[in-house]
Amino acid sequence: MDAPWWQTAVIYQIYPRSFSDGDGDGVGDLEGVRRRLDHLVWLGVDAIWLSPFFRSPMADFGYDVSDYCDVDPVFGTLDDFDRLLADAHDRGIKVLIDWVPNHSSDQHRWFIESRSSRDDPKRDWYVWRDSAPEGGPPNNWRRNFTGEARWERDPQSGETRRVAVPPDPDADTGAWTWDERTGQWYLHLFLPEQPDLRWDEPAVVDAMHDVLRFWLDRGVDGIRADVIHAIGKDPALPDDTAELAAVPHSSTNDHPRTHELLRDLRRLFDAYPGDRMVVGEVYLLDTAKVAEYYGAGDELHLAFNFPPLYTRWRAESWRRRIEEVAAHLDPVGGWPTWVLSNHDNARHRTRYGTESRARAAALLLLTLRGTPFLYAGEELGLEDAVIPPEAAVDPGGRDGCRAPIPWTTDPGHGWGPEPWLPFPPDAGIRSAAVQQDDPTSMLHLYRRLLAARGGSPGLRLGSMELLPAATGTLVWRRELDGDERVVAVSFSDDVAELDVEGDWLLEVASDRDGSEAGAEAPATIEPDTALLLRHA
Ligand code: NOJ
């Protein structure tokens, strides 16, 4: 099998603040991650993606970077990073870092210089504009984090769904902040503390490429590129249509300039030995558009595709998503990615509402064609934490999915006395320590699935074909060089018939403890469960 590592890998996202507390101060750090590497080897993941750990005033918890080439003291030092990287590599684990190219922190020296005067040599590193002719900001773009959505539980289906909230009519939701000293506005698609860099300025491209070389020379295996589709902007900065102006501009910005910038980026990566890769956050909620960011194999190696993350637990909805991915990515040779949870959205255990659905979803995620991304804690079946208003810290309302990972059963769960956020529900019984001793646990289910995937070329790289299936279920076949698997997922409240041609044995069942391996495949599938089958 001659495929780059990122096509066969299972990639595990670590939000460093919330993963593991190496120095006991209640905030996770790089040394904490290093100490858990053996656990990750035991689990069976191939690569980790570390959310930002760079110097930052933390207005957006690290997605506001004030020095791209240093580690924030809260997470440790560059030496800690080097140790983590070396120890990960010793164990065969690849490491991706999170590159934040669309905006810096307003405390980055680049922006401090840029805002110091209209004549500053770095003035054009950011997007500065005069007021509109009628006064006020230069255009109607909306910024993020203005209360555009909340998560609500539907008592009927048990699912938790994202519900749009109209902004407070008095709130300023615009993407521009007025700078009194120099008498102009600057653009920020996110917080005012996150000014957008102007990628039409060649010195910005050079500086951000230097940042990448700094980390690639240190040995990182690749990057996750934050809101990458937003870096190229229409220089005329035209108003969004009334319909688009209702959503943050960062979810709609899609300009040809970005594709040129990505081709340059790809050339930088291709010049390095060893299959370094870029996975881009293309937050456009349209798979056809996401496909364009693979270019002709000369832009992103991988692109996140978020529509499945917002898809309800319904067979027909999932069928559409799966078909859509094949329809748009196959023609451009784009290798798919699949993700159910991350640090920006309610966890899928919370969204789907039940443990059995979350277990079935794990089997689905790890058997689709493409590279799966796991979000630390989903393998423990964690739900979002309930955050009392006085403990809320995130401007985007995302604290719940960022609760610290419970490692042990004691009240501190392996963390310093005051963790930065409350723990998720049932932290003791959900802790890694408890689940490691229990073969029926979610943790062991993930481990079995990762092992099954690792042992099957068909699952890792094979073709995928949806087969006829009973209402409320999906059944698909994966195959490579005669290595074949069948996957069945029930989204139904009723027992459904499972009728697959040929003789099949169970390999993994989402509702079992591992002792099912090798048993004859059943003729029916239980509600909200999933089965992985191999040939008899
Ligand atoms: C996307 C990141 O995933 C999110 O956490 C962050 O707030 C925005 N980009 C801005 O960088």
Side-chain angles (χ1 to χ4, degrees), residues 169-204:
D170 297 330
D172 174 14
T173 58
W176 296 91
T177 288
W178 175 251
D179 181 60
E180 201 58 60
R181 178 139 61 118
T182 57
Q184 282 191 311
W185 302 82
Y186 68 87
L187 176 70
H188 51 89
L189 298 188
F190 293 87
L191 299 172
E193 293 86 347
Q194 294 168 293
D196 279 44
L197 283 155
R198 201 175 70 85
W199 276 80
D200 279 331
E201 167 61 51
V204 166

Side-chain angles (χ1 to χ4, degrees), residues 60 63 100 103 145 190 194 224 226-227 281 343-344 398 402:
D60 187 12
Y63 285 94
V100 188
H103 44 267
F145 313 139
F190 293 87
Q194 294 168 293
R224 177 263 191 191
D226 189 60
V227 283
E281 186 200 25
H343 64 296
D344 289 330
R398 300 161 294 183
R402 299 175 177 181

Side-chain angles (χ1 to χ4, degrees), residues 73-96:
V74 80
F75 298 123
T77 62
L78 270 175
D79 283 345
D80 291 329
F81 177 78
D82 289 339
R83 254 193 305 278
L84 166 58
L85 184 65
D87 283 10
H89 283 169
D90 281 350
R91 288 160 177 76
I93 294 184
K94 308 270 189 196
V95 177
L96 306 182

Side-chain angles (χ1 to χ4, degrees), residues 106-137:
D106 65 342
Q107 299 306 308
H108 197 295
R109 72 179 167 77
W110 299 341
F111 188 71
I112 294 175
E113 288 172 33
S114 181
R115 84 184 305 177
S116 67
S117 101
R118 288 200 189 197
D119 303 324
D120 187 84
K122 291 204 174 61
R123 184 65 169 181
D124 288 341
W125 284 40
Y126 294 84
V127 186
W128 291 98
R129 284 289 186 283
D130 294 332
S131 298
E134 64 283 7

Side-chain angles (χ1 to χ4, degrees), residues 475-528:
V475 176
W476 62 85
R477 173 176 173 272
R478 305 286 317 274
E479 192 272 336
L480 183 74
D481 295 339
D483 180 60
E484 227 182 319
R485 295 290 185 281
V486 161
V487 177
V489 183
S490 163
F491 300 79
S492 170
D493 292 337
D494 304 311
V495 176
E497 202 186 327
L498 179 63
D499 183 14
V500 190
E501 214 177 292
D503 294 328
W504 296 90
L505 301 177
L506 278 173
E507 186 164 3
V508 180
S510 67
D511 58 344
R512 303 276 294 272
D513 62 2
S515 56
E516 73 277 16
E520 204 179 309
T524 56
I525 179 165
E526 296 294 313
D528 291 335

Side-chain angles (χ1 to χ4, degrees), residues 153-236:
R153 193 173 157 87
D154 169 12
Q156 204 128 58
S157 67
E159 291 183 73
T160 296
R161 287 191 290 146
R162 206 154 187 259
V163 182
V165 179
D168 171 351
D170 297 330
D172 174 14
T173 58
W176 296 91
T177 288
W178 175 251
D179 181 60
E180 201 58 60
R181 178 139 61 118
T182 57
Q184 282 191 311
W185 302 82
Y186 68 87
L187 176 70
H188 51 89
L189 298 188
F190 293 87
L191 299 172
E193 293 86 347
Q194 294 168 293
D196 279 44
L197 283 155
R198 201 175 70 85
W199 276 80
D200 279 331
E201 167 61 51
V204 166
V205 178
D206 289 347
M208 289 306 280
H209 282 193
D210 283 348
V211 166
L212 290 172
R213 289 194 195 94
F214 176 87
W215 293 102
L216 290 167
D217 290 344
R218 273 194 130 73
V220 304
D221 301 286
I223 58 164
R224 177 263 191 191
D226 189 60
V227 283
I228 194 70
H229 61 287
I231 62 174
K233 296 178 179 85
D234 186 334

